Amino acid sequence: MELQGIHVPLVTPFAADGSLATDALDRLARQCLEAGAAGLVALGTTGEPGTLTAEERRTVVETAARACREHGARLTVGVPGADTRQTAASLAALDGVADTALVLVPPFVRAGEAGVLAHFTELAAGSPVPLIVYHVPYRTGQPLGAGVLRRLLALDGVAGMKLSTGAVDQDAVELLADGPAGVLAGDDVLLSPLLALGAAGGILASAHLATERFVELADAWRKGDLDHARALGHRLVRLSAAAFAEPNPSVVKGVLHAQGRIPTPGVRLPLLPAGEQAVGRALALAGEF
């Protein structure tokens, strides 16, 4: 199954007592897939995985997996990436559970390009599922040039890359000029320009709010419907910017709650709920679609 299209990194809905709202998670997963998403990401950053118990994490994965199976969609599961041995153990637990694993470039340690390449070479060789390399240097502190990005994508066992550099920079342009398969936009506001350069799709928190339109945008760029793609991309970027006006996923959760799709807008500390003004603006923009 080729890695392409729009993938929604699911939020984790909470009930009024702070517990996991499993029924709401199930409904949300199915809504996104019925709207055309190619897959779901469970336990991505948007899902607040660091605040979940082991039991809650299992429930999130099982719920998303069931929805993906029934819709013939891809399930990607996020795994921690700071330590190679621990990451390998997390990957082993995904055998028979997920289609791909989203693995962060090792954060904070700044292992260097050679260390990052060695890390993913070892993981890919032993993983029961293909990897999606998550490159987000403004979180990890580890920049990577186009050369090592190419080598990562060329590894056996690597299905693609979530590219979240915060800019359409020279390395991104050089990488996409090679036409590699499986590069997904990870910065929501940069989806349209990266699709124009050849990205295969995106992993986008704001796609919770207008899934069909994000799918439509990816299809338009793929089909070469340039005028429509540009116009729709300009509209969607306003929604994406509003969705990230406060730390993710607080605004997205606020809008989903206002729409009646999840029972509360609650997030777990250290995150705080989004302010009324930020939620109101994103809700109004979502209503335009």
Side-chain angles (χ1 to χ4, degrees), residues 51 81 83-84 99 123 142 165 193 218 252 272 284:
T51 71
D83 176 82
T84 305
D99 299 298
L123 292 178
Q142 179 60 67
T165 60
V252 171
L272 295 171

Side-chain angles (χ1 to χ4, degrees), residues 15-249:
D17 63 0
S19 63
L20 180 64
T22 308
D23 289 347
L25 176 63
D26 180 68
R27 287 194 303 272
L28 187 63
R30 293 173 189 279
Q31 288 169 358
C32 292
L33 294 174
E34 288 164 3
L40 303 174
V41 179
L43 305 182
T45 306
T46 302
E48 304 171 73
T51 71
L52 304 179
T53 66
E55 181 179 354
E56 287 172 332
R57 290 194 294 271
R58 284 194 295 271
T59 299
V60 167
V61 171
E62 290 169 359
T63 302
R66 185 167 54 250
C68 285
R69 284 195 304 269
E70 293 177 6
H71 286 81
R74 179 186 291 269
L75 174 65
T76 300
V77 175
V79 299
D83 176 82
T84 305
R85 289 177 297 176
Q86 292 180 16
T87 303
S90 298
L91 290 169
L94 297 182
D95 192 12
V97 175
D99 299 298
T100 39
L102 181 64
V103 182
L104 187 67
V105 169
F108 196 73
V109 295
R110 295 178 62 86
E113 290 189 342
V116 171
L117 184 60
H119 173 75
F120 279 102
T121 299
E122 183 162 334
L123 292 178
S127 176
V129 298
L131 310 182
I132 301 173
V133 177
Y134 185 8
H135 178 39
V136 53
Y138 52 83
R139 289 184 183 270
T140 65
Q142 179 60 67
L144 299 171
V148 75
L149 296 178
R150 291 188 190 99
R151 294 177 68 184
L152 288 167
L153 281 167
L155 290 173
D156 289 338
V158 169
M161 178 176 294
K162 181 180 178 182
L163 191 63
S164 304
T165 60
V168 183
D169 58 13
Q170 182 175 340
D171 289 316
V173 173
E174 289 183 8
L175 176 67
L176 288 167
D178 294 340
V183 176
L184 302 178
D187 294 303
D188 296 38
V189 296
L190 298 180
L191 172 64
S192 193
L194 288 175
L195 288 171
L197 288 169
I203 297 177
L204 312 164
S206 53
H208 284 87
L209 308 181
T211 310
E212 291 178 351
R213 300 288 79 79
F214 282 99
V215 171
E216 181 182 340
L217 177 63
D219 288 343
W221 279 117
R222 186 167 54 250
K223 294 173 182 176
D225 189 356
L226 303 186
D227 289 341
H228 180 55
R230 290 191 189 101
L232 182 56
H234 291 156
R235 293 179 62 206
L236 285 171
V237 75
R238 295 195 296 271
L239 174 60
S240 292
F244 281 80
E246 297 189 22
N248 186 51

